[in-house]
Amino acid sequence: MQPFSEERTREAMSELNDIARALVAPGKGILAADESDSTIKKRFDSINIESTEDNRRAYRDLLFTTPGAEDYISGVILFDETIRQSALDGTPFPKLLESKGIVPGIKVDTGAKPLAGAEGETVTEGLDGLRERLEEYHGLGARFAKWRAVITIGKQIPSEYAIWVNAHALARYAALSQEAGLVPIVEPEVLMDGDHTIERSFEATSRTLQAVLAVLVAQRVRLEAMLLKPNMVLSGYACREQATHEEVADWTLRALRRHVPAAVPGIAFLSGGQSDDDADANLDTLNRAGAQPWQLSFSYGRALQAAALKTWSGDPAHVLSAQRAFAERAAATGAARRGALAEHRHPVPAA
Ligand code: 13P
């Protein structure tokens, strides 16, 4: 592979910047439908259906062919199996999405594995052979990529060791993605699991963002040509005192403003196991907190899909009602993205 010339680099990065900005366009955000085999099995277990290739294809077909979803969904993150599958009429999924003006993306990490010498902590794998895989995914139509690092809060953790090895891998992935013509979505997720307070989540999130941004710059990743996908700063699931939406927005913005340069075009939050209503209410509050240097958008998996998955429950007779549930949730999340959730829920009747 030829190294890029300076001019070619500038041109390529400007194309990536256009894609990044399209992904966080006003009122729009990303659907994460990139559940790995083990994760989709868990989701299907919850509705008592078997995780066969056919069922997985049918479920993704339902989501991607939902009429009107493209009004709120700018991009979809696919899994390796899904990017090779087709809709019922034979159109490959990436082509189908493109035809609706939705940018196809691809999960490229191979999962979080136990980190040697660090009990309870993980490092995300997938760097071996990544350059070749990225080239293949680009050929299959992907224009952005995702890599998720997982940071856990617990007794004495996260360690600096776990934070920095994960930051290093995220930056290696991001640099390779930009080289391959894909916008990297850089996802350092500080988990909600545990009984920690929101202050501890703020501290762990701040340390993580500081490391991730430092290593991205050190590894020559162009900040204009990437998106950040962080967690919101939240109380742990089991924390007795749950923070309000205003507190979540306040702590989240404080961490982001301290550590994320304005050159990054957008922040696409993950939902991370919040209920769909909480994820939307928090995104709405964040977008009502005044002007920020970056777009504040979403890249939700569970929050966008929960209602559709349950309504579908594997029954072909429920496809249309499941699509309605997905479209309704996408519209609500799109409204939250504009800070207009209240108006969406209670539209003023025409005079
Ligand atoms: P959740 O919104 O369900 O956290 O999923 C987003 C995602 O892509 C996790 O990697």
Side-chain angles (χ1 to χ4, degrees):
M1 175 170 306
Q2 292 294 316
F4 283 160
S5 70
E6 190 45 43
E7 200 173 322
R8 171 76 188 102
T9 305
R10 214 173 308 125
E11 205 179 291
M13 291 305 147
S14 141
E15 275 168 33
L16 292 186
N17 175 256
D18 289 345
I19 298 170
R21 286 187 297 112
L23 287 169
V24 293
K28 290 190 181 183
I30 298 167
L31 164 68
D34 60 328
E35 296 82 5
S36 62
D37 286 338
S38 60
T39 305
I40 196 76
K41 181 176 180 312
K42 254 190 269 170
R43 304 276 183 269
F44 281 6
D45 283 350
S46 76
I47 53 167
N48 285 319
I49 74 154
E50 208 188 330
S51 182
T52 60
E53 186 179 344
D54 267 359
N55 284 341
R56 292 191 294 269
R57 199 211 59 76
Y59 176 58
R60 267 72 181 243
D61 192 321
L62 172 169
L63 294 175
F64 305 162
T65 58
T66 295
E70 63 275 16
D71 294 346
Y72 313 102
I73 303 296
S74 55
V76 173
I77 316 175
L78 304 166
F79 183 58
D80 180 79
E81 175 185 85
T82 325
I83 199 171
R84 303 167 197 281
Q85 288 176 326
S86 298
L88 269 188
D89 70 359
T91 314
F93 280 146
K95 279 256 163 330
L96 169 81
L97 293 170
E98 256 173 60
S99 73
K100 301 178 80 166
I102 297 177
V103 185
I106 181 77
K107 183 226 291 292
V108 302
D109 67 70
T110 56
K113 308 284 158 59
L115 175 62
E119 206 182 322
E121 299 193 281
T122 60
V123 63
T124 299
E125 295 189 346
L127 288 170
D128 287 353
L130 183 57
R131 175 175 274 137
E132 292 71 27
R133 287 200 291 128
L134 290 169
E135 199 177 326
E136 188 197 0
Y137 289 138
H138 191 277
L140 288 168
R143 291 297 174 265
F144 70 101
K146 175 194 119 171
W147 178 290
R148 170 174 178 256
V150 182
I151 302 293
T152 307
I153 297 180
K155 208 165 169 242
Q156 314 260 340
I157 59 171
S159 64
E160 286 296 290
Y161 166 36
I163 288 175
W164 286 87
V165 292
N166 275 292
H168 190 270
L170 274 167
R172 292 264 330 264
Y173 136 80
L176 283 163
S177 297
Q178 291 187 340
E179 180 193 81
L182 296 161
V183 173
I185 296 203
V186 172
E187 180 179 4
E189 175 173 5
V190 177
L191 295 178
M192 281 179 82
D193 302 49
D195 61 1
H196 53 268
T197 59
I198 192 166
E199 287 84 356
R200 273 207 78 199
S201 170
F202 170 75
E203 184 244 358
T205 303
S206 299
R207 284 167 58 206
T208 301
L209 291 176
Q210 192 214 333
V212 168
L213 270 298
V215 185
L216 286 169
V217 172
Q219 295 195 23
R220 305 177 185 173
V221 173
R222 302 291 171 110
L223 300 185
E224 292 82 355
M226 59 161 272
L227 293 172
L228 186 70
K229 174 166 173 169
N231 52 286
M232 295 175 189
V233 175
L234 303 165
S235 320
Y237 284 120
C239 178
R240 252 187 287 153
E241 227 173 285
Q242 289 291 311
T244 62
H245 302 310
E246 285 68 25
E247 288 167 333
V248 168
D250 195 46
W251 285 107
T252 302
L253 287 171
R254 202 176 309 179
L256 292 172
R257 293 183 71 96
R258 281 192 193 168
H259 299 291
V260 185
V264 174
I267 312 279
F269 293 102
L270 57 95
S271 63
Q274 303 177 71
S275 73
D276 33 20
D277 283 340
D278 277 346
D280 284 350
N282 284 330
L283 182 64
D284 183 64
T285 311
L286 279 156
N287 272 293
R288 283 189 289 100
Q292 308 299 336
W294 349 259
Q295 296 295 317
L296 294 178
S297 184
F298 58 90
S299 176
Y300 288 173
R302 282 163 284 183
L304 276 170
Q305 294 184 47
L309 180 71
K310 203 161 163 235
T311 307
W312 176 56
S313 289
D315 186 342
H318 294 163
V319 165
L320 288 182
S321 45
Q323 289 189 324
R324 259 197 306 278
F326 174 54
E328 269 166 34
R329 181 49 63 177
T333 307
R337 157 84 187 83
R338 301 192 311 273
L341 193 56
E343 296 86 318
H344 172 77
R345 295 250 160 90
H346 307 287
V348 183

